[in-house]
Amino acid sequence: MPVSAPSYWLEEALKSEQGEPCPPLSHDRQADVCIVGGGYTGLWTALRLKSLEPSLDVALIDAHYCGYGASGRNAGFLLTWNAKFPLLAEYCGAQEALRLVRESRAVLGEVESFCQAHAIDCQFRRTGWLWTAANAAQRDAWRPTLDALDKVGDQPFTVLTAEEAVRRSGSPSVAGAVFDPTAAILQPAMLARGLRRAALAAGVRIYENTRMLALERGRPPRVRTARGTITAKKVVLGLNAWASEMPEFRRTVICVASDQHMTAPIPDRLASVGLGQGLAFSDSRLLVFGYRTTVDGRINFSKGGGDFAFAGRVGSGFHEAATRTGEVVEVFHRLYPSLKDVPIVESWRGPVTRTPHGLPMFGHSKGHPDILYGHGYCGNGVGPSFIGGRILASLALERSDEWSSIPLVNARPKMRFPPEPFRYVGAYAVRAAIRRKERAEDEGRVPRRIDTWLAGLAPAGLTPTNDEK
């Protein structure tokens, strides 16, 4: 099996596999559809294509191996678009946004059923999500979302009292929370590797260790690699973070590192600190802090807003151990001081994408209808990538249906990120301001006005903060 496992999840998943890596592309080939990227988006797209047209010749390439990127390194939160409803309504209209939110809830059952049918043991647990306030300033950060959902008569969230929030979270420092039952947690790399096995069984040709060196945008388009070229009727770019390396996406996608940490197993202590329910937890920071437990009693916790990719280049710094361990562990210990003695046994980083409007992007490459793309999940891709696969499959097959007609298709954000080097320098300036603002709020101080203003320049997170209403 592949020897480089840049996350605890991938190491665990690869140890359980018996097969060998798929060979790299070694000759020129042809295909009906060529998919670039072996993460969730690419694999769900391939599986959807084969389910709709089993005779379709689908080829998929990945620069490393399937699941190597964010799909094998994320926290394993399968969340819906419930928290994104106000953003979806802005771009799609309230009724279409409501349809998409409901479709995103149905994904839980779809993924669970698919895993059962294909014997994918990804430790799927439908436990729910607790969206919390880490301090008094974050209290009611979810109010714009709940109000927008109330207006359309659809409310999945339950607002907890202060006492309930402390009890459900197990942390006395939580200042409030809402509960969303339509959420699950899973082992993300086991899902990615399971989808790979299912795709191979469905007849998808997978070439690993095969990096796209160039995309020839003719008709038909061609994907050029080091040892061969794939000529296809349609090309689907499921690159996610690596989309930021392509000039056409550089102003609409920014790649940022997320720092992940895993503790030693403490199954006997989880219940005593209120973590025995297996919930997914996120706070309301712009640089979100999230955590969950594993089936063997470990705690995985993470924080977004690490280093940024200059000019979109996803360098080696995105494949190393976490670099902000002290900062991230400090947040965790503030929440659970009784767990300060629990050792951190592994840390890693993963590339996360952000878009100017906080929503994923799907569509046709400008001027090239045979080249499709899907990326920009903004830290919530496990569930929405399933929908992304349906969208991209319908576009590749030129179907006119409920997936190809989603207003997100070919939608352009109203704003773009500035060009380099202003984007890179500005990103760090905004991140520094967010850190100062949130530290002040944690300490019960009023943030400086300049920090609040700079923090407001960050792309939308879960929902607009109180300062952005």
Side-chain angles (χ1 to χ4, degrees):
M1 290 311 302
V3 295
S4 175
S7 76
Y8 173 89
W9 304 122
L10 276 165
E11 184 177 0
E12 182 181 55
L14 295 173
K15 281 181 179 178
S16 67
E17 292 191 5
Q18 303 298 320
E20 294 296 325
C22 294
L25 182 69
S26 58
H27 299 89
D28 291 347
R29 302 288 186 186
Q30 292 188 340
D32 292 320
V33 180
C34 176
I35 299 171
V36 184
Y40 295 146
T41 297
L43 290 166
W44 281 126
T45 301
L47 287 162
R48 178 68 172 176
L49 286 168
K50 294 295 284 186
S51 69
L52 293 173
E53 295 191 16
S55 63
L56 203 70
D57 184 11
V58 180
L60 182 150
I61 69 170
D62 193 273
H64 299 280
Y65 52 83
C66 292
Y68 177 86
S71 298
R73 306 189 215 183
N74 67 85
F77 287 21
L78 200 171
L79 305 181
T80 69
W81 272 334
N82 288 338
K84 294 280 189 181
F85 178 75
L87 296 173
L88 287 167
E90 180 182 350
Y91 279 82
C92 304
Q95 290 306 309
E96 179 65 7
L98 180 59
R99 184 181 78 84
L100 290 176
V101 164
R102 288 174 173 170
E103 291 285 2
S104 75
R105 294 173 194 160
V107 168
L108 273 77
E110 297 270 9
V111 172
E112 186 175 26
S113 297
F114 186 92
C115 290
Q116 291 171 349
H118 293 83
I120 299 174
D121 181 13
C122 64
Q123 302 167 11
F124 185 100
R125 290 184 284 167
R126 195 187 291 240
T127 51
W129 173 49
L130 205 66
W131 182 3
T132 70
N135 52 52
Q138 293 178 16
R139 194 177 290 128
D140 278 345
W142 41 79
R143 180 49 54 191
T145 299
L146 271 61
D147 288 346
L149 286 163
D150 279 338
K151 288 180 180 178
V152 294
D154 187 281
Q155 188 55 263
F157 293 101
T158 300
V159 180
L160 306 183
T161 65
E163 294 77 15
E164 288 173 329
V166 170
R167 180 179 61 82
R168 295 293 296 271
S169 67
S171 172
S173 66
V174 166
V178 292
F179 177 66
D180 179 1
T182 60
I185 56 175
L186 49 78
Q187 211 282 26
M190 286 185 174
L191 174 60
R193 300 299 294 179
L195 295 180
R196 171 187 178 271
R197 292 194 300 275
L200 288 170
V204 177
R205 290 185 287 129
I206 297 179
Y207 302 99
E208 295 179 305
N209 294 303
T210 302
R211 182 183 299 275
M212 181 178 71
L213 299 180
L215 177 58
E216 299 177 7
R217 300 169 185 267
R219 300 201 76 176
R222 292 178 172 83
V223 175
R224 183 161 59 83
T225 75
R227 299 173 60 188
T229 296
I230 298 178
T231 302
K233 297 174 183 176
K234 302 286 184 182
V235 170
V236 176
L237 302 175
L239 300 169
N240 205 38
W242 283 266
S244 64
E245 296 183 342
M246 302 187 70
E248 67 185 283
F249 302 127
R250 200 163 291 159
R251 298 284 302 278
T252 54
V253 179
I254 191 169
C255 178
V256 58
S258 173
D259 291 89
Q260 301 267 347
H261 297 78
M262 187 72 76
T263 72
I266 52 167
D268 296 336
R269 296 176 62 181
L270 293 181
S272 66
V273 294
L275 292 174
Q277 306 167 73
L279 299 176
F281 298 85
S282 302
D283 65 16
S284 301
R285 302 176 191 273
L286 279 169
L287 306 180
V288 177
F289 180 85
Y291 53 105
R292 46 75 58 95
T293 59
T294 66
V295 293
D296 63 346
R298 302 173 188 269
I299 303 172
N300 168 240
F301 55 94
S302 59
K303 188 172 179 59
D307 292 335
F308 297 89
F310 181 79
R313 292 193 290 270
V314 187
S316 59
F318 287 83
H319 309 292
E320 300 171 349
T323 61
R324 297 180 297 159
T325 294
E327 174 187 343
V328 182
V329 171
E330 178 187 356
V331 177
F332 180 68
H333 287 169
R334 189 184 306 128
L335 288 166
Y336 300 98
S338 65
L339 299 181
K340 287 184 177 180
D341 63 314
V342 179
I344 309 302
V345 297
E346 193 163 343
S347 72
W348 66 94
R349 312 189 90 191
V352 177
T353 52
R354 299 301 297 267
T355 60
H357 55 0
L359 296 170
M361 301 171 58
F362 308 97
H364 302 86
S365 179
K366 190 174 182 180
H368 301 283
D370 297 328
I371 300 174
L372 312 171
Y373 63 84
H375 55 246
Y377 294 101
C378 300
N380 178 20
V382 180
S385 62
F386 179 91
I387 293 177
R390 294 198 164 186
I391 294 171
L392 293 169
S394 288
L395 293 176
L397 296 175
E398 299 184 357
R399 292 192 169 204
S400 180
D401 58 20
E402 71 273 24
W403 302 110
S404 61
S405 60
I406 286 176
L408 290 177
V409 172
N410 293 323
R412 300 289 188 266
K414 297 174 183 177
M415 297 180 63
R416 297 196 301 168
F417 294 117
E420 299 291 16
F422 305 105
R423 181 177 69 173
Y424 187 74
V425 174
Y428 278 102
V430 168
R431 188 188 72 172
I434 293 172
R435 283 176 167 174
R436 292 191 297 268
K437 174 180 179 291
E438 294 182 344
R439 181 168 290 276
E441 292 170 346
D442 285 340
E443 296 172 356
R445 296 183 287 108
V446 177
R448 295 190 307 166
R449 189 171 298 177
I450 184 63
D451 289 337
T452 298
W453 179 80
L454 283 170
L457 299 177
L462 289 173
T463 189
T465 66
N466 292 333
D467 301 312
E468 294 173 295
K469 293 177 187 175

